[in-house]
Amino acid sequence: QVHLVESGGGSVQAGGSLRLSCAASAYAASMKCMAWFRQTPQKEREGVADIDRDGKTRYTDIAKGRFTISKDNVKNTLYLQMDSLQPEDSGIYYCAADFDRWCPGIAQFPIWGQGTQVTVSS
C-alpha cells in the first residue's frame, strides 16, 4: 500500500508564496496521475492541478497563472508551488494518486494524503 504525506503548509500574508510537497512512500514514477485538491470553508473539495506519468500538466481556473505543479520521480515527491496567494486560497490541500487511470475525476482517486493546512491572511 502506497502512502502519501503532504507538508509545506502554513500561514502567509496575501501576495505571499508557499511550496507544498507530497511524499509518496514509493513508485511515484509509475503513477499514471498525481494531483492536488483543496477544501476550503466555502466549497467542497475541488481540483487544483494534476500531472500525469508523462509529465503533462493541467490546471483548473483557481490555479492558472499562480500555481505550478511538478514531480520529482527520484524523490517520489509531488510539489505545488503557490504564488500570489489570496485569503480565498485558505484551506486544506490534499494530494492524490492513481496507478491505473490517467487523471480521472476527483471521486476516482484511490490514494489520498491526510492534507496540509494553508492559511492566507489579508
Side-chain angles (χ1 to χ4, degrees), residues 17-53:
S17 299
L18 284 173
R19 188 193 196 202
L20 305 183
S21 299
C22 171
S25 55
Y27 310 123
S30 299
M31 294 173 180
K32 284 188 174 177
C33 188
M34 296 188 78
W36 287 100
F37 296 88
R38 74 182 188 186
Q39 187 156 9
T40 66
Q42 298 80 21
K43 294 184 179 180
E44 296 181 353
R45 196 172 297 190
E46 59 183 347
V48 176
D50 59 39
I51 183 167
D52 69 19
R53 193 175 62 192

Side-chain angles (χ1 to χ4, degrees), residues 29-122:
S30 299
M31 294 173 180
K32 284 188 174 177
C33 188
M34 296 188 78
W36 287 100
F37 296 88
R38 74 182 188 186
Q39 187 156 9
T40 66
Q42 298 80 21
K43 294 184 179 180
E44 296 181 353
R45 196 172 297 190
E46 59 183 347
V48 176
D50 59 39
I51 183 167
D52 69 19
R53 193 175 62 192
D54 297 335
K56 180 181 176 181
T57 59
R58 299 187 304 175
Y59 298 90
T60 61
D61 287 344
I62 59 176
K64 287 179 181 177
R66 300 189 301 135
F67 298 175
T68 304
I69 190 171
S70 61
K71 188 172 70 163
D72 186 328
N73 289 328
V74 174
K75 295 182 178 180
N76 286 319
T77 302
L78 178 73
Y79 300 100
L80 185 68
Q81 176 67 41
M82 304 189 295
D83 299 318
S84 301
L85 284 163
Q86 299 301 315
E88 53 266 33
D89 294 315
S90 297
I92 302 174
Y93 284 70
Y94 300 89
C95 65
D98 196 330
F99 282 101
D100 301 318
R101 286 172 286 241
W102 295 96
C103 295
I106 181 173
Q108 295 175 292
F109 276 90
I111 306 169
W112 289 84
Q114 293 301 305
T116 185
Q117 177 72 46
V118 171
T119 302
V120 186
S121 58
S122 58

